[in-house]
Amino acid sequence: MDGIVTDVAVGVKRGSDELLSGSVLNGPSSNMTSLVVTANGNDNKKFKGDDKMENVPSRVLHIRKLPGEVTETEVIALGLPFGKVTNILMLKGKNQAFLELATEESASTMVNYYTSMTPHLRNQPIYIQYSNHKELKTDSALNQRAQAVLQAVSAVQTSNSTVANPAGAENALSSAQSPVLRIIIDNMYYPVTLDVLHQIFSKFGTVLKIITFTKNNQFQALLQYADPANAQQAKLALDGQNIYNACCTLRIDFSKLVNLNVKYNNDKSRDYTRPDLPSGDGQPSLDPAIAAAFAKETSLLAVPGTLSPLGLSNAAAAAAAAAGRVGMHGVTTGGNTVLLVSNLNEEMVSPQSLFTLFGVYGDVQRVKILYNKKDSALIQMADGNQSQLAMSHLNGQKMYGKIIRVTLSKHQTVQLPREGLDDQGLTKDFGNSQLHRFKKPGSKNFQNIFPPSATLHLSNIPQTITEDDLRTLFTNTGGTVKAFKFFQDHKMALLQMSTVEEAIQALIDLHNYNIGDNHHLRVSFSKSTI
C-alpha cells in the first residue's frame, strides 16, 4: 500500500549548494569553530567538500527545489510527522530551506520515507537530503518570520488549540494551511473503515496518518496529508459527497492540529510512515489479505464530478465485505447473511429480544438459539449489508450483563425445526413481521442508524403521555433515567439512561410497547446528547 516503507540504507547526495544567508551553522567540527556564511560565490567554495563526505545522518535536512510561493508552515509540516521540528531556515531566493529535527532518528526516518516516495509541495516535487551540518543556528533578527511560524506551530501542537500568532507570523496557522482534515461521516448506514478512507483520500495526495474514533455517537476521523495543498484539494472535491449510494456522507473541515500523534497501527489508527508501530491493546493489525485486496484495486474510487456520489468499485468492495470489514451497497456478500452470536445470558435471552436488538440494524428473518449451547444463537438478516452493519455495531456490546460476540456464521440460512417437532421455542421465523424497520425503500429509518448509545430516540408518543409517564416506564426496565427532552410536537422525545447497557435493555423491553390509544412506542439509538 502506498506510504508504507521499510527502513533502508539510503545513499543521499549532499548538496554543495548549502548557502545560508545571514546564519551560523555548526558543522561536524562545530565544537572548534563557527562559520558565518553569506550568500555569495566565494562562500560556495567553502562547501565544495560536501559531496566527498560520508553520507552521515544529521538532524539538519537540506530541502531543495521548493516552489517560489511556499510558506514556512508548509515546510515545517513536512517534518512534523516524523518528530519535533526544532529550527527552520528559509532561503526564498534560492528555493531552498533547512529543517532541523529534534533527533537524528527522526531525520533518518524522514529521509528514508521520502526517498521511497518523492514529496510534493503545491504539486511540485521537492528533494530532501542530509545536511553536513549537525545543528542549525539562525540569527533571530534576520530569520524572525520563520522562527515566529515555528513557535506558533509548536504552540498549536502542544496546546491542541488555536493560538494567537506571534508578530511576523501572519496567517501562519490559517486552517486552510493545515495538512490535517477532520472528517465526520453522516448517515452511516454501512461501516466505513480506515482503509476505505485511505483509498478515497489518497486520490488527492500522500496520506501519512489516519486516526478514527467515535465522538457524540458519530464516526469521525483525522487524516494527515504530506502537503497542506492536498488537504485543500480533497476538502474541495469530497466535502458533501456520499461514499456509498445515498448514505455515508462526508463532512470535511480543516483541523486545528498540524500533526497527528499515532501510537498504534491497527483498525482504528495508522501511521504509514512508521510500519514498525505495535498494534496495541490486543487489537489485530491489519489483515494482510484485506490489505492486498485494497492494494490491488488501484482504481477503487472514481470521482465522476463534485456532485455525483463516490463510486466504490465492486472488486475491492466485495473483497472487503467478504473479509467482514465493510458492507457495500449493491454488492452481494454470499452466505454472509447469517450471524453467530455467542456469550449470551442463556437465562434471559429469547428469540424476541434478539429480533428487537438486531432489528435496529436490519430486518431479522429468523433467530435460532442453539439447543445444546444456549449461550449462542444464529440470526439471519435480510441481506449481507445488514449482517455487516449489525456485526460492526453490536459486537462487544453488553446485553443482559454479558458482553456479546458477533461474527459471521458459516451457515447460509437458519433452518426451521421439522414439522411437529417441539424445539422449546428456541427458533422463530420473523420473515413476515410487521416490525421490520427497513422494508420501505427510502424510509427515514435508513438515515437514523447509529451505534448503541445511552441516549434513546422515542417516537409515536400520544399527546396524553407526560414526561413523568415516560420516565417511570423506562425506570421500570431496571435503569436510571438521567435526562429527558420532548421535541416541539410532543410526538417525539430524547431520553438518556445512565449507561449504554441500560439503554440497550430499555430498547429491547419497550420498542413496540403499547403505550395507550393503540400507539406503539418506537425506540432507537440517538446520536444526540441531552
Side-chain angles (χ1 to χ4, degrees):
M1 190 179 291
D2 283 352
I4 296 182
V5 298
T6 53
D7 286 343
V8 292
V10 183
V12 192
K13 178 180 179 294
R14 293 177 182 276
S16 60
D17 202 12
E18 294 189 0
L19 298 182
L20 307 182
S21 172
S23 66
V24 178
L25 279 170
N26 285 355
S29 304
S30 57
N31 56 338
M32 295 166 59
T33 180
S34 292
L35 176 66
V36 179
V37 186
T38 54
N40 62 48
N42 293 331
D43 290 310
N44 196 24
K45 294 172 186 173
K46 297 178 185 177
F47 286 88
K48 285 295 183 187
D50 279 6
D51 292 343
K52 297 173 185 173
M53 295 182 68
E54 291 180 39
N55 294 320
V56 181
S58 163
R59 63 192 185 97
V60 179
L61 299 177
H62 182 207
I63 305 171
R64 299 179 293 118
K65 305 278 188 184
L66 290 169
E69 68 280 11
V70 78
T71 65
E72 287 89 346
T73 309
E74 290 171 278
V75 175
I76 291 168
L78 283 170
L80 284 172
F82 305 93
K84 186 179 179 184
V85 175
T86 50
N87 213 341
I88 180 174
L89 179 69
M90 296 287 286
L91 303 178
K92 288 286 177 82
K94 301 189 72 65
N95 300 101
Q96 297 181 23
F98 285 82
L99 200 65
E100 179 189 278
L101 279 78
T103 65
E104 270 189 20
E105 183 188 6
S106 299
S108 296
T109 306
M110 181 172 169
V111 169
N112 286 345
Y113 180 73
Y114 286 132
T115 298
S116 297
M117 177 171 298
T118 304
H120 287 69
L121 279 181
R122 305 201 176 214
N123 295 319
Q124 182 177 315
I126 60 171
Y127 300 93
I128 299 174
Q129 59 200 53
Y130 296 120
S131 165
N132 283 333
H133 306 286
K134 293 296 183 186
E135 188 179 1
L136 185 60
K137 288 202 171 177
T138 50
D139 184 322
S140 58
L142 294 171
N143 196 34
Q144 185 178 16
R145 176 185 165 82
Q147 293 304 305
V149 174
L150 184 60
Q151 286 174 24
V153 171
S154 299
V156 169
Q157 282 303 100
T158 53
S159 70
N160 231 9
S161 59
T162 311
V163 294
N165 291 338
E170 303 90 346
N171 302 318
L173 292 167
S174 68
S175 59
Q177 287 182 315
S178 172
V180 180
L181 294 175
R182 186 175 71 117
I183 303 153
I184 295 174
I185 311 287
D186 279 344
N187 298 335
M188 191 163 143
Y189 181 49
Y190 302 125
V192 175
T193 64
L194 182 147
D195 296 287
V196 167
L197 290 174
H198 185 265
Q199 291 296 325
I200 293 169
F201 284 84
S202 288
K203 297 295 172 186
F204 300 91
T206 303
V207 174
L208 299 184
K209 303 175 182 181
I210 305 176
I211 298 172
T212 65
F213 55 96
T214 301
K215 186 177 180 182
N216 299 331
N217 290 318
Q218 279 191 310
F219 180 82
Q220 301 191 26
L222 291 168
L223 182 145
Q224 180 175 347
Y225 279 105
D227 184 349
N230 298 143
Q232 274 187 301
Q233 292 165 350
K235 182 183 185 303
L236 285 171
L238 297 176
D239 189 24
Q241 292 269 27
N242 292 327
I243 298 178
Y244 308 127
N245 192 23
C247 68
C248 299
T249 308
L250 292 163
R251 304 285 177 216
I252 303 172
D253 276 309
F254 291 101
S255 171
K256 292 170 185 171
L257 297 170
V258 286
N259 180 43
L260 300 179
N261 181 23
V262 176
K263 293 179 180 175
Y264 304 112
N265 283 340
N266 54 37
D267 290 341
K268 291 188 171 62
S269 63
R270 196 79 48 80
D271 184 339
Y272 297 95
T273 71
R274 293 280 312 280
D276 56 309
L277 287 178
S279 61
D281 297 328
Q283 297 182 62
S285 299
L286 179 64
D287 187 321
I290 298 166
F294 277 107
K296 283 178 188 171
E297 190 59 39
T298 52
S299 58
L300 180 64
L301 264 187
V303 184
T306 53
L307 297 177
S308 46
L310 304 173
L312 282 175
S313 75
N314 281 3
R325 296 300 170 97
V326 59
M328 303 284 181
H329 187 75
V331 176
T332 56
T333 53
N336 289 353
T337 59
V338 180
L339 297 168
L340 172 64
V341 188
S342 54
N343 202 41
L344 291 162
N345 183 332
E346 56 185 272
E347 303 295 323
M348 303 285 292
V349 75
S350 67
Q352 184 65 46
S353 62
L354 291 169
F355 166 77
T356 304
L357 179 57
F358 281 74
V360 173
Y361 301 104
D363 293 338
V364 176
Q365 303 300 299
R366 293 176 181 176
V367 177
K368 182 186 200 76
I369 295 174
L370 303 185
Y371 186 81
N372 294 321
K373 198 173 181 343
K374 292 189 174 63
D375 68 346
S376 300
L378 295 173
I379 300 177
Q380 184 176 334
M381 308 296 286
D383 62 41
N385 297 328
Q386 294 180 3
S387 61
Q388 296 286 342
L389 197 61
M391 181 173 67
S392 69
H393 284 311
L394 293 176
N395 181 42
Q397 296 291 347
K398 253 190 177 183
M399 179 183 182
Y400 297 128
K402 299 194 77 170
I403 294 173
I404 63 171
R405 295 284 164 231
V406 186
T407 58
L408 293 171
S409 168
K410 62 178 188 276
H411 293 281
Q412 304 292 312
T413 59
V414 170
Q415 297 294 327
L416 294 174
R418 288 196 301 276
E419 192 78 31
L421 183 71
D422 177 20
D423 79 337
Q424 302 174 2
L426 295 176
T427 307
K428 191 155 184 186
D429 188 352
F430 294 97
N432 295 318
S433 172
Q434 299 302 306
L435 297 181
H436 287 155
R437 296 179 187 239
F438 306 105
K439 268 191 173 170
K440 290 180 185 172
S443 163
K444 280 188 178 177
N445 291 332
F446 283 99
Q447 297 168 28
N448 294 309
I449 297 173
F450 303 109
S453 63
T455 306
L456 297 168
H457 181 275
L458 316 181
S459 59
N460 205 29
I461 304 168
Q463 293 292 329
T464 54
I465 296 296
T466 66
E467 176 179 334
D468 283 346
D469 293 334
L470 288 165
R471 280 178 174 270
T472 302
L473 183 66
F474 278 78
T475 301
N476 287 342
T477 63
T480 303
V481 176
K482 286 189 71 180
F484 183 92
K485 179 183 171 186
F486 264 123
F487 285 68
Q488 273 188 327
D489 62 3
H490 207 83
K491 293 177 183 175
M492 294 190 290
L494 291 177
L495 182 143
Q496 186 178 337
M497 305 299 288
S498 61
T499 65
V500 175
E501 184 187 0
E502 288 181 6
I504 288 173
Q505 179 68 55
L507 182 142
I508 290 171
D509 289 350
L510 295 175
H511 178 63
N512 200 46
Y513 179 83
N514 188 345
I515 202 168
D517 303 335
N518 206 28
H519 279 70
H520 289 264
L521 188 65
R522 298 189 64 78
V523 185
S524 54
F525 298 114
S526 173
K527 69 175 179 181
S528 307
T529 51
I530 305 173

